[in-house]
Amino acid sequence: MILRYLIRALKFTFLFFLLGLLIFVLTYLFGKGSHSEATFMDLVLQSDVKNMVIFFVAFGLVYPLIGYVKQKVYFDRSFEGDKQEVIRMFSDLNFVLQKEEGKKLYFRHRSMLTRIMRLGEDKIEVNYSHNPLIVSGLRKDAYRLSRMIQHYVRRVEQ
């Protein structure tokens, strides 16, 4: 768990540095700096680089803590009967079943571009060993997928 956090923190810190550098370069190219005698290094030296580095490192360290969640979905019956329907729902949202280990399902996004943009951290884990079912992964996906499962459970129970 700690190793997974450290890997995510390093990946996102690197990503934030790249995005910051991209913004810096675009600002220089399309801002007043490209029409004056000021060089790119002059722009960097005039900026508060130390505070930007601190911000990127801090945000990179915090983002994995707030960007990944575990959502609980309560079932009144065994999940085994509904497993194929859940796999189909995930497939409809471009997630493919990567592997099944014991009572855990692992899904990855089908789109390579999405996987690259998420730095390979697009895995969704569905643990159905106990009730409640636990969906863990990237916050947006985990919330959306767990709500879909919960909606399905309510619809079937009625």
Side-chain angles (χ1 to χ4, degrees):
M1 189 65 152
I2 293 175
L3 181 62
R4 183 85 246 145
Y5 164 77
L6 290 174
I7 291 170
R8 285 177 178 165
L10 286 173
K11 284 181 178 182
F12 284 105
T13 300
F14 179 71
L15 176 68
F16 297 137
F17 272 110
L18 283 179
L19 290 175
L21 181 64
L22 180 66
I23 290 170
F24 227 75
V25 169
L26 290 175
T27 301
Y28 174 74
L29 291 176
F30 296 113
K32 290 182 180 180
S34 63
H35 304 294
S36 69
E37 288 76 37
T39 65
F40 182 73
M41 283 309 294
D42 292 337
L43 179 65
V44 170
L45 293 174
Q46 292 173 2
S47 302
D48 193 359
V49 176
K50 184 178 105 181
N51 282 341
M52 286 191 301
V53 168
I54 291 171
F55 173 76
F56 290 143
V57 168
F59 197 68
L61 292 174
V62 171
Y63 184 76
L65 297 174
I66 60 175
Y68 293 86
V69 296
K70 292 183 179 185
Q71 282 295 110
K72 295 178 181 177
V73 179
Y74 293 92
F75 267 77
D76 288 340
R77 60 189 180 281
S78 172
F79 177 74
E80 291 292 336
D82 299 312
K83 184 166 69 170
Q84 291 306 316
E85 180 62 23
V86 169
I87 291 171
R88 187 197 61 74
M89 284 190 291
F90 277 54
S91 178
D92 290 346
L93 293 173
N94 292 325
F95 283 91
V96 260
L97 181 63
Q98 183 182 24
K99 66 180 175 178
E100 183 174 354
E101 280 182 356
K103 297 224 177 221
K104 291 183 181 180
L105 302 172
Y106 296 94
F107 294 89
R108 299 291 305 249
H109 204 279
R110 187 175 290 135
S111 167
M112 187 56 78
L113 179 62
T114 301
R115 292 174 71 182
I116 290 170
M117 288 173 43
R118 294 178 181 178
L119 302 175
E121 298 293 337
D122 61 325
K123 187 183 292 185
I124 298 291
E125 177 185 310
V126 178
N127 183 345
Y128 60 96
S129 59
H130 303 290
N131 194 3
L133 172 91
I134 298 176
V135 178
S136 58
L138 192 62
R139 178 181 294 274
K140 178 181 84 167
D141 293 331
Y143 281 157
R144 180 177 53 161
L145 295 166
S146 63
R147 281 194 309 264
M148 284 183 62
I149 296 170
Q150 190 68 46
H151 180 71
Y152 167 76
V153 169
R154 287 183 193 151
R155 190 177 67 226
V156 169
E157 289 175 353
Q158 291 177 355

